[in-house]
Amino acid sequence: MTGVAVIKPNNEIRPAHQHPDEEHLMILEGSDTWTLNGKSQPAHTGDILFAAPNDVHGIYKNTDVPLKFVVVRYQAK
């Protein structure tokens, strides 16, 4: 799966979650908070984030500017 998503301020696409697929997110515009296996860190324009299979991950938009990112999700063999 590949796509572009926009998260509105003070929102999330879905709560932190996990799945058997690998996932890359590339932040195109904005900044927010990325969580990976219970640890939070800032994510900014230009950052590329990675979640390995079954990592618990999520992204939350807590500023007043929307966040736009590309997501690439695939199942490694």
Side-chain angles (χ1 to χ4, degrees):
M1 176 193 78
T2 303
V4 175
V6 176
I7 303 176
K8 295 180 181 181
N10 299 310
N11 211 335
E12 59 190 354
I13 290 181
R14 62 191 246 191
H17 61 282
Q18 66 186 105
H19 43 70
D21 305 325
E22 294 184 14
E23 188 170 280
H24 286 84
L25 302 176
M26 183 173 70
I27 310 297
L28 299 175
E29 296 174 9
S31 62
D32 69 21
T33 302
W34 164 253
T35 61
L36 182 66
N37 296 321
K39 295 183 181 181
S40 295
Q41 64 183 22
H44 303 284
T45 300
D47 287 354
I48 297 175
L49 312 168
F50 173 73
N54 300 309
D55 278 352
V56 178
H57 61 284
I59 202 161
Y60 182 77
K61 187 70 197 122
N62 57 10
T63 64
D64 59 356
V65 178
L67 175 81
K68 185 176 183 180
F69 63 94
V70 172
V71 58
V72 177
R73 188 170 133 181
Y74 57 94
Q75 197 165 52
K77 296 190 181 208

